[in-house]
Amino acid sequence: MALFSDAYVPVTWNIGFLRASLDETADALHAWRTRIHGSAQKEFLQEGFRPNVHRLEPLTEAVRPRELVVATRNPEWVAIFDNGLRGGDQVTTVSYLARTIHCQGLVTTLIPDRPHAVDGRSRFGAVQFQLFGPIRTHFLNYVRTISVVREVNGWRFDANGTIQEFEDIESYRKRKIVDRFTPEMLEEYSEALDLYPYRDDFYTGPSVLISNPADPGSHAAAAIIEAQRVFL
């Protein structure tokens, strides 16, 4: 299970979603970036994710000068990607915009595990479902988080917040931690919200590119294919 056969990772490792219109999301994101950086640009693009993904380049560390908001096949939801070199930071963006627009938000994370690569390009895997709402909850505006993540000392499972009716809570008791929340379960939970994060035809567009003047300075910057040489 991999979006566009992983052709655009690390951009697609983390995907943000908001239950709002393209215009509403783009306007709110543009206004937020303008307040933070003093200025921002908003460019309307006719097509969806794949024809526009390279507009996010170069991918950068430390700052996020470019973000792509994409209309999906479900008119109730839009997707958000950014130009983070290590997979982006959708949690901060989706959490903030869910409160600002007063809507539901979701961040999905799917990073294949590669902890002991002989070529030195190791990475820790992760499967995460992070659901947000418009009002304050037990922690910020998180509604529900479920994750299986490899850390230095091994795999870790976490589940916090309000259990959703579509969850398979019996799986959370399995002996092997990696079986408690799988990529297939991430896909099923997303589909329960009428989202299809790992279907290539879901990101139909149109899109809006939000750019801000944040300067990566001496931090790393790379094209997608260059980032893949490091992380894949």
Side-chain angles (χ1 to χ4, degrees):
M1 186 172 72
L3 183 60
F4 298 111
S5 301
D6 276 346
Y8 305 112
V9 299
V11 172
T12 53
W13 277 344
N14 298 299
I15 310 173
F17 297 97
L18 286 160
R19 200 163 210 154
S21 70
L22 180 68
D23 289 343
E24 189 174 27
T25 302
D27 288 348
L29 182 56
H30 177 261
W32 186 32
R33 295 308 182 211
T34 299
R35 284 197 300 274
I36 293 173
H37 300 286
S39 65
Q41 294 182 326
K42 182 172 58 174
E43 181 182 359
F44 183 83
L45 307 168
Q46 289 290 344
E47 298 181 285
F49 173 80
R50 196 164 196 171
N52 292 307
V53 61
H54 291 289
R55 290 176 176 266
L56 291 171
E57 294 175 317
L59 308 187
T60 61
E61 287 191 302
V63 294
R64 304 285 183 268
R66 288 167 295 282
E67 294 158 294
L68 188 66
V69 185
V70 184
T72 71
R73 191 169 295 279
N74 182 343
E76 293 186 1
W77 289 93
V78 296
I80 303 177
F81 302 85
D82 69 33
N83 71 320
L85 185 60
R86 298 178 184 271
D89 176 19
Q90 300 306 328
V91 168
T92 302
T93 303
V94 169
S95 174
Y96 174 84
L97 292 178
R99 297 193 308 270
T100 301
I101 302 174
H102 299 286
C103 68
Q104 197 173 33
L106 177 70
V107 177
T108 64
T109 300
L110 184 56
I111 304 175
D113 191 47
R114 201 170 188 260
H116 305 298
V118 295
D119 59 6
R121 294 184 295 178
S122 301
R123 65 171 180 270
F124 287 168
V127 182
Q128 295 177 295
F129 175 96
Q130 300 181 79
L131 185 64
F132 299 87
I135 60 175
R136 187 171 182 85
T137 62
H138 63 289
F139 179 65
L140 302 176
N141 61 324
Y142 284 85
V143 174
R144 182 63 165 161
T145 62
I146 310 153
S147 69
V148 168
V149 178
R150 184 191 283 275
E151 299 178 338
V152 174
N153 295 323
W155 288 99
R156 173 176 172 171
F157 168 77
D158 290 289
N160 297 289
T162 303
I163 297 173
Q164 304 297 298
E165 62 181 9
F166 50 76
E167 292 184 43
D168 177 11
I169 58 175
E170 291 301 317
S171 287
Y172 306 160
R173 302 184 179 95
K174 290 182 177 179
R175 184 183 63 82
K176 290 183 64 176
I177 294 177
V178 292
D179 293 336
R180 296 179 189 175
F181 189 57
T182 64
E184 291 75 20
M185 293 172 68
L186 174 62
E187 189 170 41
E188 290 170 6
Y189 287 15
S190 301
E191 290 181 3
L193 299 172
D194 294 322
L195 284 170
Y196 301 88
Y198 304 105
R199 293 191 186 179
D200 296 354
D201 63 354
F202 189 59
Y203 302 93
T204 55
S207 307
V208 177
L209 181 69
I210 307 295
S211 305
N212 68 70
D215 182 4
S218 61
H219 294 284
I224 291 172
I225 193 169
E226 293 169 337
Q228 291 172 351
R229 295 192 188 107
V230 175
F231 298 116
L232 297 186

